[in-house]
Amino acid sequence: MRRIMFAAAVAAVFASAPAKADGAYVVWGIGSKTCGAWTDAQRTDKGRYEAYQSWAHAFVTGAAFGRQGLALKKDVDINAEALTKWVDDWCDKNPRMTVERASVALLEHLADAPK
């Protein structure tokens, strides 16, 4: 499991690296899959569901790394179960959006607004 988490973290860091001229970035791996696929895996395939979770957690980790840290809201719970539950709920409401978009929404939920 640690190898999967490490690989997902590395993938998230590199996923944010290639940038296009318009500022967009390329999403590789299961982050490009839909939230519907996330929700389906939650119900039917524990291993695949864990891979989705790892990707989302690693995306947040990679984004924080790229920002040299992430200022968090004081009232958010950042344990793995809470983060996964948050994405579960978001994906239930947005099944056609991608896991990457859910992860960006999670980042926005976690991040303290700049002052």
Side-chain angles (χ1 to χ4, degrees):
M1 184 64 172
R2 286 184 186 190
R3 288 183 194 169
I4 292 171
M5 295 290 285
F6 177 76
V10 170
V13 170
F14 285 112
S16 62
K20 298 179 183 177
D22 63 0
Y25 55 90
V26 177
V27 178
W28 287 303
I30 60 177
S32 64
K33 303 294 184 191
T34 66
C35 275
W38 168 293
T39 302
D40 181 58
Q42 179 185 18
R43 290 189 305 259
T44 63
D45 187 338
K46 183 180 178 191
R48 192 165 45 109
Y49 180 56
E50 288 175 352
Y52 280 105
Q53 291 173 40
S54 293
W55 194 97
H57 295 171
F59 182 91
V60 171
T61 301
F65 175 81
R67 296 178 184 180
Q68 280 74 46
L70 181 63
L72 299 175
K73 293 177 185 170
K74 294 184 187 330
D75 62 339
V76 296
D77 189 354
I78 59 166
N79 72 64
E81 289 177 8
L83 299 181
T84 298
K85 172 78 170 99
W86 194 94
V87 176
D88 287 343
D89 293 343
W90 196 92
C91 280
D92 280 342
K93 295 173 189 157
N94 301 282
R96 292 187 174 159
M97 299 300 285
T98 64
V99 172
E100 178 268 341
R101 294 308 311 153
S103 300
V104 169
L106 174 60
L107 270 173
E108 292 169 353
H109 167 74
L110 296 172
D112 196 14
K115 295 177 180 163

